[in-house]
Amino acid sequence: MSEPGVGGDEMPELPEVETVRRVLEPQVRGRKIEKIVLNRLEVIAHPSAEEFERKVSGQRITGMGRRGKFLSIALDGKDTIWLHLRMTGQLLVTPPEFPKEKHTHLVFYLDDGQEIRFIDARRFGRFWLLQEGETDIFTGIEKLGPEPFAPILTGDWLQKRLGKRKKSIKECLLDQSILAGIGNIHGDEILFWARVAPGRMACSLEMKEWERLAVAIPAMLEKGIEDNRMTPEEYLAGKGKEYRNGPLLAYGREGQPCPRCSKTFCRIRLAGRSSTYCPACQNENGVDIQEK
């Protein structure tokens, strides 16, 4: 199910996290959490593991949400569980007989016999329980920028936020305090669509390029969500870590022909992350390149 070259050390991004939400929510909405089994206490970041288990057990799930790369589980007691999958986190809804993965750290047992399992080989993923009215000083969500689908996202808004920055535009797109949810994969896709090279300094972009980015950001993330559309059966078969993510236009295509101009894709590293782009039809030097 994965596109070649996708995955590995890449963290699930907004489209993948939204896929998790859309697949799992219909399966768990209205279900009561009868008990919790914690195999690794450190996956609970707030409050204590004991308090988390005590307060969550017996509550009913009323829905699931997403903020950037965070998932939320709303409970009928007005409390909210927040979680971040980090690099290798997987969240599954399984029948009880489904084989348990080696790194299963947390299991919610539901009243219909199903189980919500959290698996994480690297153990970076975390859960937080925020009680009704509790100020969130724990998750970091308050530091996130707006969602990429928010009406505020225009070329003018991007230019005002980023137009003076002497950082690469790719680094700016990955800054979660600017926009929430964009990661390395979809950052490459956005920049390819907008015909802007990832290494361009943000301060060098012209207004027409900001306007193209304002269109490309929601468009490519929506494409990612649609590309990842799958049934619960497909999701479970992939154990919550197989995403379609394709066909991708730029990411992971180093050495392959550009689908727009047939030139060869190149790869550079920016702030420790790889970026793939077409040197011919993405704007490297500030001279605008018209769409072909």
Side-chain angles (χ1 to χ4, degrees), residues 55-72:
K55 290 186 177 296
V56 170
S57 296
Q59 293 211 54
R60 196 172 294 276
I61 297 170
T62 59
M64 289 185 67
R66 181 197 53 76
R67 177 76 171 94
K69 301 176 187 178
F70 289 81
L71 282 167
S72 65

Side-chain angles (χ1 to χ4, degrees), residues 167-196:
K167 277 189 173 183
S168 73
I169 186 59
K170 177 69 177 290
E171 291 175 85
C172 292
L173 289 181
L174 300 187
D175 184 342
Q176 301 298 295
S177 70
I178 302 298
L179 287 169
I182 301 173
N184 204 39
I185 296 172
H186 298 286
D188 277 2
E189 298 297 284
I190 288 163
L191 288 165
F192 179 77
W193 193 99
R195 306 191 305 285
V196 176

Side-chain angles (χ1 to χ4, degrees), residues 5 40 46 49 60 62 75-76 79 82 89 94 98 118 128 140 162 200 204-205 243 289 291:
R40 295 198 72 95
H46 172 78
R60 196 172 294 276
T62 59
L75 305 174
D76 63 352
D79 299 338
W82 286 96
T94 76
F98 192 80
F118 176 68
W128 299 263
L162 299 174
R200 283 274 304 282
S204 75
L205 269 63
Y243 303 105
I289 300 170
E291 184 174 6

Side-chain angles (χ1 to χ4, degrees), residues 71-97:
L71 282 167
S72 65
I73 302 173
L75 305 174
D76 63 352
K78 306 301 182 184
D79 299 338
T80 304
I81 299 170
W82 286 96
L83 63 140
H84 200 301
L85 300 173
R86 306 295 186 196
M87 297 297 294
T88 57
Q90 304 154 242
L91 199 66
L92 304 178
V93 175
T94 76
E97 68 275 9

Side-chain angles (χ1 to χ4, degrees), residues 205-269:
L205 269 63
E206 299 179 5
M207 179 53 72
K208 54 192 164 187
E209 294 172 307
W210 292 117
E211 289 172 349
R212 288 204 297 263
L213 282 168
V215 174
I217 288 166
M220 298 314 292
L221 292 172
E222 286 283 8
K223 177 182 180 298
I225 291 170
E226 287 304 309
D227 287 346
N228 276 318
R229 188 182 292 273
M230 65 184 76
T231 66
E233 292 77 18
E234 290 170 328
Y235 178 85
L236 185 58
K239 298 179 181 177
K241 59 183 179 180
E242 296 285 337
Y243 303 105
R244 292 192 171 93
N245 272 332
L248 293 174
L249 302 175
Y251 177 83
R253 302 292 188 188
E254 179 190 7
Q256 299 181 32
C258 169
R260 193 155 55 202
C261 72
S262 300
K263 298 294 184 181
T264 302
F265 275 112
C266 296
R267 181 169 65 90
I268 58 172
R269 291 191 71 80

Side-chain angles (χ1 to χ4, degrees), residues 102-223:
K102 178 181 178 181
H103 300 286
T104 300
H105 305 317
L106 174 61
V107 181
F108 299 87
Y109 291 87
L110 306 180
D111 60 353
D112 64 349
Q114 298 277 85
E115 300 172 8
I116 303 175
R117 300 179 187 173
F118 176 68
I119 304 111
D120 190 1
R122 293 195 181 180
R123 304 197 297 271
F124 294 152
R126 291 294 182 266
F127 285 73
W128 299 263
L129 175 66
L130 294 179
Q131 298 176 65
E132 183 182 15
E134 182 177 11
T135 300
D136 181 7
I137 59 172
F138 309 101
T139 65
I141 290 173
E142 77 284 354
K143 298 176 182 177
L144 295 178
E147 289 288 305
F149 308 113
I152 194 174
L153 179 59
T154 63
D156 184 63
W157 183 86
L158 284 171
Q159 194 275 335
K160 286 178 179 176
R161 291 297 307 273
L162 299 174
K164 295 182 179 180
R165 292 201 175 191
K166 295 182 179 180
K167 277 189 173 183
S168 73
I169 186 59
K170 177 69 177 290
E171 291 175 85
C172 292
L173 289 181
L174 300 187
D175 184 342
Q176 301 298 295
S177 70
I178 302 298
L179 287 169
I182 301 173
N184 204 39
I185 296 172
H186 298 286
D188 277 2
E189 298 297 284
I190 288 163
L191 288 165
F192 179 77
W193 193 99
R195 306 191 305 285
V196 176
R200 283 274 304 282
M201 293 296 102
C203 60
S204 75
L205 269 63
E206 299 179 5
M207 179 53 72
K208 54 192 164 187
E209 294 172 307
W210 292 117
E211 289 172 349
R212 288 204 297 263
L213 282 168
V215 174
I217 288 166
M220 298 314 292
L221 292 172
E222 286 283 8
K223 177 182 180 298

